[in-house]
């Protein structure tokens, strides 16, 4: 079988422009082979090369005294957490594959991000997910959305649970813009000691290159290129072959074997084979080390007959690793991989030529300068143009919105709104307690895990039991970003930081997943540009450097593009376990205090712009979103943390979707003690102090930023209020914990809700939506 | 006192069980790889949870043929205690060391949440430290935890006092709503005729420290330790 | 040569998967269908062409590991 001739059509099918093709010829000094064309096509796809976004990503803050491995250096960033310990973490997307085959698409997404963590030498200890789908239970696409949602959650559960990692926090949103283009962003965090950091660099000419893990098949062929194109109905059908099938059992074995091998000090470089498989791992490791690499494809374990070099290089079969070992230490690989009954093969050597040379049965099928392939993909600055739709958004006035006729009923609608409702339907399918480290499980503002000795990879020299507490959250309100990309992106970070503060944690670092539409559409690229501007400014404000992340572009379908969705995962450190603070009210008689200004008086929309109330009750996604004052947020978070560290705060819950009323309700109903056994605590609230500054629905449901609801013992209230005043943060007593109901008074109006009814609506909403 | 915690390919609760043995109970213990074939020097065996062999074919079906399981059979025949947790329970049933089988949850979904357990037989090796009326609050995390056995076996278990734990509600009532997986007679854990081998689906090793939300699971381990101390003292 | 093995849950055993599939079929409009049981199908490639020689071994494997006699029935053919 001979390779097809290289024609302009073939180049186009590989998603390369004529200019890019000329650049390739310039690099090689000749026409590329078919295999080389495939290699360039995946390495220079948007997914692998970030060619349309690199200049923007360079504007992120990426350094801090704690950053040990920064953004862009390796597969994941690493941050110091003290006492010689460090955490590696990253977020990644698997959007297009999940649209085509939700179970395997999501499962292999989890597999990929877990590998990115243990390839750094860290033991993976927890995962997060951020998911978006079209609306359920109603709407023309509801049945399909249910199928995608159910499939994705099953896939994440299947992979994470079998691998043995708790999926401990996340978010799920439903919106028409995700119809046909679901978003599946998955995050993983691992732990290691500083001296255990492993790099993906092919160092040392002459060193042997090993392939470990299951045999290579035709899975995921050209998946990276697939992710870099719009999804059409045709592509969904054709690309069914492109979806990889994951094996979490295999991954668990490969992970344990790799960590054991790393402990022997025989490894000089290690990288997982993820997007663009063998291609990406060989060329990136060579490029990082400034060396070359030579591999013989007939030595690569194959599970399909007659695979061509093109197929072997581009395959995205899962759970495979590339390991460069010190010469003379080959026996370690064999011993350890045989112990775990895992396939391994010696497939090549590091060279000093700087070139990536691929042979098939002795014949050279690719010979490319590694650095140029890995680092010199073209860089583009697409045109950006402010979208036309923003004019109407900015002009939208609250005066045109009829007042709520029944705020009490509105609260019930909002609590049952799938984007707000309890996500227990999701997380009760995830093992969230494995590894004995889940201190705050899903259902609170931020999750908290405990790091202990066995969180570390084997070979950690120090056996002393140093315990650390890490808080995690992932957030993005994409409606805000659609309506004002810069402000909305700032809010994504601010909300994440606020969630960490509510758990008692200070931010350490961030990882971002930029989910956007086609970058060649100037209006959509403008959204991306402005979002990055907002993210960068906010990360700087909260001292949370971006340690890495992922870009997923071309998220659009025949129905149109998704809302710009820059998902942010923030990781923080809690100094002492006593500081860990849940979001639910505790004891009868505790006083409820609102920290932060109840209403932003300079916001003409009074917090209703872009709000869930406006979407759910008025069917409108418009109006400028609430403003984000980064300085005020910082003061608020610092103040809250200080109170928590002094032991003054019994519960803390930030206000987000659904505003004050929803946050108050959640504080009453969100503690789940056991199966079918919630712990409901009532509250009597009086918001009359603000009744004149906004209409009732804005007061109750407006999403003004920078607000946290805390509860404190009666004896501590004076301290809280006084110290807040000194620190310049507004602190107002708004109520008291107790009784079997939630009551909210505001001037002449009073709303009263029995707790069991609110709990039922909120807890069972998604299960009901899925059963319809 | 020396405790063995078995480790199969893709056990993933082995470290948790060892952590409780060493750091919470302060006992000596180590991981025993499935290819080993001796349990000399050990006083008790814990078969931890996870997805041994990926749960392929049937959960526990492949693990039960590992070399170490033959040794476990002899170990149990000698009267020493063996505790199977979650996947460990499934392996013991497949190996015939415990009656019945664990099949797919009735909801067809993996289920992870805290449940209440009623202890039926407070004097058994694994329950002697549990106060009679106390409900244990332990987490479950499984997709195949529905206990099945035919009526004759179920009656026998009941009559011989070999049902150790049942799923209950907050008041201690055995209700359908409190049953997370459809297990017949709400059975969460059973033991063998000699009462030295037990299995349960919930995870006591995830509820042995208050910081994780519940320390009720510790009572099961303390029962085991107390019973072992007695046994070892009598042997001496 | 191949052994084709079908493993099904015993009638007495709870089969929630079967029930779910039955409900789904009924909802899709396949009226009047009866109970559904969901089982497993295995194909094992065997050397040579002497089916009789392999029958005993396959039966033994089915009984020992491929099925759990407590909750499953099996049948097979070798071609």
């Amino acid at each position: 079988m001979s390779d097809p001739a290289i024609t302009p059509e073939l180049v186009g099918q590989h998603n390369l422009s004529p200019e890019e093709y000329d650049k390739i010829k310039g690099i090689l000094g000749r026409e590329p082979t078919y295999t080389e064309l495939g290699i360039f096509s995946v390495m220079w796809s948007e997914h692998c090369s970030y060619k349309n976004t690199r200049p923007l990503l360079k504007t992120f803050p990426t350094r801090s005294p704690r950053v040990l491995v920064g953004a862009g250096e390796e597969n994941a960033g690493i941050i110091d957490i003290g006492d010689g310990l460090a955490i590696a973490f990253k977020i990644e997307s698997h959007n297009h594959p999940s649209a085509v085959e939700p179970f395997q698409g999501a499962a292999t997404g989890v597999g990929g991000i877990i590998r990115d963590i243990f390839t750094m030498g860290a033991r993976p200890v927890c995962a997060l997910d951020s998911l978006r789908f079209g609306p359920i239970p109603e709407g023309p696409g509801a049945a399909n959305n249910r199928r995608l949602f159910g499939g994705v959650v099953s896939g994440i559960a299947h992979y994470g649970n079998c691998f043995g990692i708790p999926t401990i926090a996340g978010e799920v949103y439903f919106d028409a813009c995700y119809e046909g283009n679901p978003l599946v962003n998955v995050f993983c965090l691992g732990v290691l000691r500083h001296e255990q950091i492993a790099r993906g660099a092919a160092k040392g000419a002459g060193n042997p290159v090993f392939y470990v893990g299951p045999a290579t098949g035709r899975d995921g062929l050209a998946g990276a290129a697939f992710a870099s194109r719009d999804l059409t109905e045709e592509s969904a059908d054709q690309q069914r072959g492109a979806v990889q099938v994951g094996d979490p059992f295999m991954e668990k074995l490969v992970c344990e074997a790799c960590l054991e091998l790393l402990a022997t000090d025989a490894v000089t470089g290690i990288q997982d084979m993820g997007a663009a498989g063998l291609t990406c791992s060989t060329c990136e490791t060579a490029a990082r080390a400034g060396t070359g690499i030579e591999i013989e494809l007939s030595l690569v374990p194959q599970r399909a007959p007659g695979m061509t070099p093109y197929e072997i290089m581009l395959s995205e079969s899962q759970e495979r690793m590339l390991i460069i070992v010190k010469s003379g230490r080959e026996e370690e690989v064999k011993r350890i991989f045989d112990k775990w009954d895992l396939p391994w093969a010696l497939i090549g050597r590091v060279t000093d030529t700087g070139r990536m040379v691929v042979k098939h049965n002795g014949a050279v099928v690719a010979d490319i300068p590694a650095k140029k392939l890995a680092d010199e993909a073209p860089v583009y600055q697409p045109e950006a143009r402010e979208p036309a739709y923003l004019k109407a958004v900015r002009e939208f006035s609250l005066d045109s919105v009829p007042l709520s006729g029944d705020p009490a009923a509105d609260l019930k609608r909002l609590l049952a709104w799938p984007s707000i409702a309890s996500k227990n339907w999701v997380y009760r399918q995830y093992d969230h307690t494995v590894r004995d480290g889940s201190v705050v499980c899903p259902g609170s503002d931020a999750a908290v895990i405990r790091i202990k000795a066995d969180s570390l990879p084997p070979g950690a020299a120090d056996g002393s039991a140093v315990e650390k507490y890490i808080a995690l959250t992932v957030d993005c309100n994409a409606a805000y970003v659609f309506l004002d990309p810069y402000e909305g992106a700032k809010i994504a970070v601010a909300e994440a930081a606020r969630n960490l503060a509510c758990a008692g944690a200070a931010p350490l670092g961030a990882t971002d997943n930029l989910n956007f539409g086609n970058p060649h559409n100037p209006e959509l690229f403008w959204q991306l540009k402005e979002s990055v501007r907002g993210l960068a400014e906010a990360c700087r404000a909260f001292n949370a450097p971006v340690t890495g992340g992922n870009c997923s572009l071309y998220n659009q379908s025949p129905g149109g593009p998704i809302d710009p969705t820059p998902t942010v995962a923030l990781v923080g450190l809690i100094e002492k376990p006593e500081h860990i603070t849940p979001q639910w009210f505790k004891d009868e008689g505790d006083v409820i205090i609102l920290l932060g200004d109840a209403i932003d008086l300079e916001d003409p929309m009074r917090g209703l712009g872009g709000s869930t109330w406006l979407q759910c009750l008025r069917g409108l996604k418009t109006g400028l979103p609430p403003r984000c004052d980064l300085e005020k947020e910082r003061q608020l978070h610092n103040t809250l943390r200080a109170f928590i560290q002094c032991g003054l705060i019994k519960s803390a819950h930030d206000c987000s979707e659904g505003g004050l009323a929803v946050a108050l309700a959640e504080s009453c109903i969100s503690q789940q003690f056991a199966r079918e056994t919630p712990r409901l605590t009532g509250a009597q609230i009086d918001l009359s102090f603000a009744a004149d500054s906004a209409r009732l629905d804005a007061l109750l449901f407006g999403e003004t930023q920078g607000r946290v609801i805390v509860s404190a013992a009666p004896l501590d209230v004076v301290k809280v209020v006084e110290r807040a005043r000194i620190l310049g943060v507004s602190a107002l007593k708004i109520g008291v914990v107790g009784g079997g109901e939630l009551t909210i008074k505001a001037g002449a109006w009073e709303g009263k809700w029995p707790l069991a009814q609110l709990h039922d609506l909120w807890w069972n909403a998604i299960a009901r939506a899925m059963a319809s | 006192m020396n405790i063995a915690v078995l480790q199969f390919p893709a056990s993933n609760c082995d470290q948790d069980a060892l952590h409780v043995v060493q750091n919470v109970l302060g006992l000596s213990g180590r991981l025993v790889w499935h290819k080993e074939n001796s349990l000399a020097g050990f006083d008790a065996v814990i078969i931890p949870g996870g997805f041994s062999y990926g749960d392929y074919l049937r959960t526990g079906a492949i693990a039960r043929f590992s070399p170490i399981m033959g040794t476990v059979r002899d170990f149990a025949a000698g009267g020493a205690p063996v505790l199977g947790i979650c996947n460990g329970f499934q392996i013991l049933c497949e190996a015939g060391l415990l009656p019945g089988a664990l099949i797919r949850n009735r909801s067809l979904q993996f289920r992870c949440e805290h449940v209440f357990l009623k202890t039926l037989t407070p004097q058994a090796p694994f329950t002697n430290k549990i106060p009679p009326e106390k409900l244990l609050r332990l987490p479950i995390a499984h997709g195949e935890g529905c206990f099945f056995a035919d009526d004759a076996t179920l009656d026998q278990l009941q009559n011989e006092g070999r049902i150790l734990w049942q799923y209950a509600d907050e008041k201690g009532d055995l209700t359908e709503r409190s049953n997370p997986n459809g297990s017949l007679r709400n059975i969460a854990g059973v033991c063998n005729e000699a009462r030295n081998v037990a299995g349960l689906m919930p995870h006591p090793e995830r509820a042995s420290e208050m910081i994780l939300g519940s320390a009720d699971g510790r009572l099961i381990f303390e029962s085991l330790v107390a019973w072992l101390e007695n046994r070892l003292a009598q042997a001496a | 040569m191949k052994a084709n093995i079908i493993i099904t849950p015993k009638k007495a055993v709870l089969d929630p998967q079967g029930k779910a599939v039955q409900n789904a079929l009924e909802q899709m409009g396949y009226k009047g269908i009866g109970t559904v049981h969901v089982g497993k199908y295995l194909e094992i490639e065997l050397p040579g062409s002497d089916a009789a020689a392999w029958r005993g071994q396959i039966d033994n494997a089915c009984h020992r590991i491929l099925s759990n006699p407590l909750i499953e029935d099996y049948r097979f053919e070798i071609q």
Side-chain angles (χ1 to χ4, degrees), chain A residues 32 56 135 211 316 404 425 694 766:
Chain A
L56 288 184
Y211 163 122
E316 292 183 358
S404 164
W425 185 92
I766 293 189

Side-chain angles (χ1 to χ4, degrees), chain A residues 20 98 133 195 241 276 306 312 335 384 401 408 428 437 452 532 602 605 709 711 727 738 740:
Chain A
E20 288 171 339
S98 300
F133 305 92
E195 59 272 17
I312 300 170
R335 176 177 64 82
V401 180
R428 288 191 304 137
K452 53 200 202 311
V532 169
E602 306 203 9
M605 292 290 299
I709 293 174
S711 65
L727 293 168

Side-chain angles (χ1 to χ4, degrees), chain A residues 522-533:
Chain A
E523 292 192 348
L524 301 182
F525 192 75
W526 185 89
Q527 291 176 339
L528 178 54
K529 220 172 138 213
E530 285 295 288
S531 298
V532 169
R533 186 166 73 92

Side-chain angles (χ1 to χ4, degrees), chain A residues 445 494-495 497-503 581-583 585 592-598 632-633 635-641 643-644 649 651-656 660 663-664 667 704-711 720 729-732 734:
Chain A
D445 279 323
E495 189 185 334
R498 209 181 314 130
N499 280 329
L500 289 188
C502 286
T581 309
Q583 75 174 32
F585 295 142
I592 302 167
I593 297 168
L594 173 64
L595 292 179
D597 299 327
K632 277 188 120 166
E633 288 275 2
Q635 278 174 337
L636 170 66
H637 305 177
N638 288 342
T639 303
L640 176 57
R641 258 191 302 273
F643 289 165
I644 287 174
I649 303 293
S651 76
H653 185 27
D654 81 312
C655 296
S656 58
L660 263 180
L664 286 164
S667 303
T704 298
Q705 295 292 300
R707 298 179 302 173
V708 175
I709 293 174
V710 299
S711 65
V720 170
V729 172
S730 162
L732 277 174
I734 59 170

Side-chain angles (χ1 to χ4, degrees), chain A residues 572-594:
Chain A
L573 192 59
I574 301 178
E575 282 176 28
K576 296 202 180 107
E578 303 83 76
H579 300 164
I580 297 168
T581 309
Q583 75 174 32
W584 39 81
F585 295 142
K586 279 196 78 185
D587 300 306
E588 201 115 345
D590 283 347
V591 175
I592 302 167
I593 297 168
L594 173 64

Side-chain angles (χ1 to χ4, degrees), chain B residues 124-146:
Chain B
F126 303 93
T127 54
N128 57 74
K129 285 284 188 202
I130 303 173
E133 292 312 306
K134 181 172 175 59
L135 291 175
L136 303 178
R137 188 168 72 95
L138 301 188
I140 57 163
H142 55 247
E144 284 163 90
C146 174

Side-chain angles (χ1 to χ4, degrees), chain A residues 189-204:
Chain A
L189 179 139
V191 184
L192 72 175
R193 293 192 60 83
H194 290 206
E195 59 272 17
Q196 293 178 308
I197 295 176
R199 303 251 174 192
K203 289 197 289 240

Side-chain angles (χ1 to χ4, degrees), chain A residues 121-358:
Chain A
R123 175 179 290 288
V125 297
C126 70
L128 272 60
D129 61 348
S130 171
L131 312 174
R132 288 163 219 263
F133 305 92
I136 63 170
E138 279 141 14
N144 194 45
N145 297 332
R146 278 195 289 272
R147 181 185 68 87
L148 290 174
F149 176 42
V152 163
V153 171
S154 297
I156 294 173
H158 166 73
Y159 208 101
N161 297 349
C162 182
F163 180 82
I165 194 177
T167 303
I168 192 139
E171 50 169 13
V172 188
Y173 280 89
F174 300 89
D175 187 284
C177 75
Y178 302 111
E179 198 94 49
N181 218 134
L183 296 188
V184 177
N185 296 165
V186 281
F187 164 105
C188 182
L189 179 139
V191 184
L192 72 175
R193 293 192 60 83
H194 290 206
E195 59 272 17
Q196 293 178 308
I197 295 176
R199 303 251 174 192
K203 289 197 289 240
N207 278 340
V209 174
F210 279 87
Y211 163 122
V212 300
T216 299
R218 294 199 164 87
D219 337 42
L221 271 172
F226 168 52
S228 307
R229 284 209 291 274
D230 292 3
L231 261 181
T232 62
E233 281 170 40
E234 208 181 75
S235 66
D237 255 356
Q238 278 167 6
Q239 299 293 1
R240 199 150 267 128
V243 175
Q244 313 91 314
V245 171
D247 183 349
F249 165 60
M250 182 62 62
E251 177 117 324
K252 165 79 171 163
L253 301 182
V254 171
C255 175
E256 293 298 333
C258 286
L259 292 180
E260 227 177 272
L261 183 61
L262 285 166
T264 64
D265 194 41
V267 175
T268 143
I270 177 169
Q271 172 135 337
D272 76 306
M273 297 192 209
L278 199 45
T279 293
C280 190
S281 47
T282 44
C283 103
E284 279 185 3
T285 48
R288 278 196 199 99
T291 54
I293 203 163
E294 183 178 305
I295 58 175
E296 166 55 66
L297 294 182
S298 63
L299 298 172
V300 170
Q302 293 158 46
R303 67 163 206 267
M307 288 188 72
T308 63
Y310 180 99
E311 290 174 325
I312 300 170
M313 286 307 288
L314 268 52
S315 164
E316 292 183 358
S317 293
Q318 301 286 292
E319 292 105 24
R320 303 172 299 159
M321 306 289 290
L322 194 79
I323 307 186
I324 298 106
V325 165
K326 294 173 183 164
S327 265
R329 304 291 299 272
E330 292 86 338
E331 276 311 305
E332 305 281 10
V333 180
K334 298 170 190 177
R335 176 177 64 82
I336 290 171
F337 281 81
D338 283 347
K339 167 193 165 184
W340 289 93
D341 291 316
L342 289 171
W344 55 266
L346 174 55
I347 62 167
R349 299 236 158 240
V350 178
T351 67
D352 57 10
T353 64
R355 298 183 77 88
M356 170 182 155
V357 175
V358 181

